[in-house]
Amino acid sequence: MNDIYTVVDKLLESDLAKQPLLAPNTSSYRDDLELKLNNFITIVKTLSPQGGIIEKTLYEASSELENITKKILSALDEYLSGNAGEAYRHIADLLEMEIITRHIFKLCSSMDKYSGKNDSNSLYRVRLSEKPLFKKHDMFHIPFNSRHLVGTQRYSIAGVPCLYLGSSLYVCWHEMGSPDLNKLYLSRFGCRKKNVQYLNLAYSLKMMKPEGLDTFIDNTSEIERDLARIIFLPILIACSYKKAHSPANFNEEYIIPNLLLQWVSKKSPDISGISYLSTNTPQMKHHDININFVFPPKTYTSRKSFYCQTLSDIFELSDPVSWQLLDTVSIENKYNNIDTLISINNMHEDYIKYYHTTKFKDQENKLKKMVVKKVHN
């Protein structure tokens, strides 16, 4: 029996539900994280060994889950003490625990749905530029010979150019800090290879709560995926904090996601990237426009190669086009005649709800008319 409703309901009674998370002014990220992780373990220990499959499994794994939380906090403490290598070792040890290796691929998804075809889902990349951009290279990851331009991201590796994509132009725009639209250049990305896997951390407890017919889903794959999501919840919590200080040269909220990405980059050849929810947009269960993707480079073939050969083999993209120029193109929009009422009090959530009527969606539809091709080194 899929008893995910029972488990999620108990977890939602705690302070774990409000994702993205933000430490209160009276506390640090580290202390608030410890409080939330301890809260999670306390709830797990109250689950019943006579419950459904998920409840029983979590109860029996409480000591392993507690070990996961301790390793996360140890990694954080080592990093903050100046021992970055030891911090990474704690995360690597965590990800090699039997309970993690047994469930991690239940959380992996295939990039097949992002095939780059006109009628498929697409991924997007946005760049802010005062000068015209014409080449596909301009929209790929920062070249290896320009590592000095690599900034601090929630999921990043110091000095390592990664490829960041979004499930919508809207989330890309928010991740850029909501700049002037007329200074943006846009590209659409598609996956050109089969069975490219990514670790799917684009979920929250609220999104997991069953509704309607979801309550009756009882197949094995759904139960295994739901169980894996709860087992990974301590890691997800540690990676889901908004930064307390902006702008800042260092954000302790980024330590654990940075270490996780390092592991994906070097220790997990079967996982190409990570998807995660934006901390800058509302997170709604039945909408997937607020998802970010990060793909670290996997190969450095030569000094003359400025781009990761593995990533250039995986992705194809359209030529960059300015928002202004694309805005002059007109295509039929079947939603134009919809009378949409957006309440001021819930502007951001309603914007996502009626996203199909927005200018962002209109621009995405135009980008889908553009040809995508791979980047050549």
Side-chain angles (χ1 to χ4, degrees):
M1 181 184 74
N2 192 344
D3 55 328
I4 190 63
Y5 182 90
T6 302
V7 175
V8 169
D9 240 24
K10 289 184 178 181
L11 290 169
L12 284 173
E13 292 173 0
S14 70
D15 60 349
L16 303 175
K18 295 181 179 179
Q19 195 175 316
L21 304 169
L22 181 65
N25 293 332
T26 55
S27 179
S28 67
Y29 159 70
R30 197 268 178 221
D31 292 341
D32 191 66
L33 176 60
E34 182 176 24
L35 188 66
K36 285 181 170 56
L37 294 180
N38 288 341
N39 195 358
F40 169 74
I41 296 300
T42 298
I43 294 170
V44 168
K45 290 180 176 179
T46 67
L47 299 177
S48 171
Q50 282 78 46
I53 295 174
I54 293 177
E55 189 170 6
K56 181 176 183 291
T57 304
L58 291 172
Y59 176 84
E60 293 174 347
S62 60
S63 61
E64 293 173 282
L65 292 171
E66 190 168 14
N67 197 18
I68 288 173
T69 65
K70 289 178 179 178
K71 287 183 181 295
I72 291 172
L73 293 172
S74 294
L76 193 56
D77 289 338
E78 290 290 352
Y79 196 99
L80 293 173
S81 299
N83 300 319
E86 191 66 14
Y88 175 77
R89 187 183 68 78
H90 281 293
I91 293 299
D93 288 347
L94 183 165
L95 293 166
E96 291 166 10
M97 290 173 62
E98 196 272 337
I99 190 174
I100 294 295
T101 58
R102 187 169 10 115
H103 290 94
I104 189 168
F105 287 102
K106 306 289 188 354
L107 286 184
C108 287
S109 299
S110 172
M111 291 291 296
D112 290 355
K113 65 183 284 188
Y114 300 105
S115 66
K117 306 299 182 185
N118 288 349
D119 58 348
S120 72
N121 291 336
S122 295
L123 295 175
Y124 303 92
R125 183 160 168 79
V126 165
R127 275 198 61 188
L128 184 67
S129 180
E130 295 287 347
K131 63 178 183 179
L133 302 179
F134 299 108
K135 298 179 180 179
K136 289 182 174 63
H137 294 86
D138 295 326
M139 301 300 290
F140 212 55
H141 68 69
I142 292 174
F144 294 142
N145 63 336
S146 298
R147 295 175 183 271
H148 58 283
L149 299 176
V150 176
T152 301
Q153 306 283 345
R154 184 163 146 220
Y155 285 87
S156 64
I157 306 170
V160 178
C162 296
L163 179 61
Y164 295 91
L165 304 175
S167 60
S168 68
L169 290 176
Y170 178 71
V171 75
C172 292
W173 176 64
H174 268 292
E175 293 299 302
M176 292 286 293
S178 307
D180 183 349
L181 292 172
N182 289 323
K183 295 181 180 179
L184 294 184
Y185 282 79
L186 326 169
S187 276
R188 179 173 70 91
F189 279 67
C191 182
R192 59 193 302 271
K193 298 185 76 174
K194 293 288 187 181
N195 299 318
V196 175
Q197 299 289 311
Y198 62 93
L199 180 61
N200 190 347
L201 296 183
Y203 68 95
S204 67
L205 276 175
K206 280 189 174 181
M207 292 167 65
M208 286 184 67
K209 183 168 182 177
E211 296 175 2
L213 293 176
D214 292 351
T215 307
F216 302 100
I217 292 176
D218 201 30
N219 63 68
T220 302
S221 61
E222 287 292 333
I223 292 174
E224 290 178 345
R225 187 198 63 181
D226 287 338
L227 178 58
R229 283 178 167 179
I230 300 298
I231 287 170
F232 267 75
L233 194 59
I235 299 172
L236 182 68
I237 292 169
C239 295
S240 299
Y241 276 76
K242 290 176 68 72
K243 57 184 180 181
H245 306 287
S246 183
N249 293 324
F250 171 75
N251 299 285
E252 59 180 331
E253 297 90 348
Y254 291 176
I255 292 173
I256 302 302
N258 286 182
L259 294 172
L260 176 60
L261 187 66
Q262 285 186 46
W263 180 83
V264 167
S265 174
K266 295 302 178 187
K267 295 293 184 180
S268 185
D270 297 323
I271 302 176
S272 296
I274 301 173
S275 70
Y276 54 100
L277 294 176
S278 171
T279 58
N280 299 311
T281 62
Q283 298 173 358
M284 298 170 65
K285 180 173 182 177
H286 295 294
H287 290 272
D288 59 359
I289 68 169
N290 61 338
I291 300 174
N292 292 312
F293 290 77
V294 56
F295 297 93
K298 294 280 190 175
T299 53
Y300 304 85
T301 53
S302 70
R303 291 177 180 270
K304 295 181 180 180
S305 178
F306 298 147
Y307 301 93
C308 172
Q309 186 64 53
T310 300
L311 292 180
S312 64
D313 286 341
I314 290 175
F315 291 103
E316 52 191 1
L317 64 152
S318 63
D319 290 329
V321 59
S322 70
W323 179 283
Q324 281 182 311
L325 181 60
L326 197 61
D327 204 24
T328 65
V329 178
S330 177
I331 64 172
E332 182 182 355
N333 187 342
K334 62 181 178 180
Y335 301 108
N336 281 343
N337 295 325
I338 290 180
D339 185 17
T340 300
L341 209 58
I342 299 180
S343 64
I344 298 301
N345 292 333
N346 297 299
M347 177 65 78
H348 288 294
E349 288 194 8
D350 282 346
Y351 197 90
I352 290 177
K353 184 177 180 181
Y354 298 106
Y355 187 70
H356 56 272
T357 70
T358 67
K359 177 63 74 172
F360 286 101
K361 185 62 179 178
D362 192 40
Q363 300 287 62
E364 289 172 15
N365 289 335
K366 295 171 188 175
L367 284 174
K368 284 191 174 185
K369 304 292 185 182
M370 297 182 67
V371 174
V372 291
K373 293 182 179 179
K374 69 172 289 186
V375 166
H376 293 279
N377 273 310

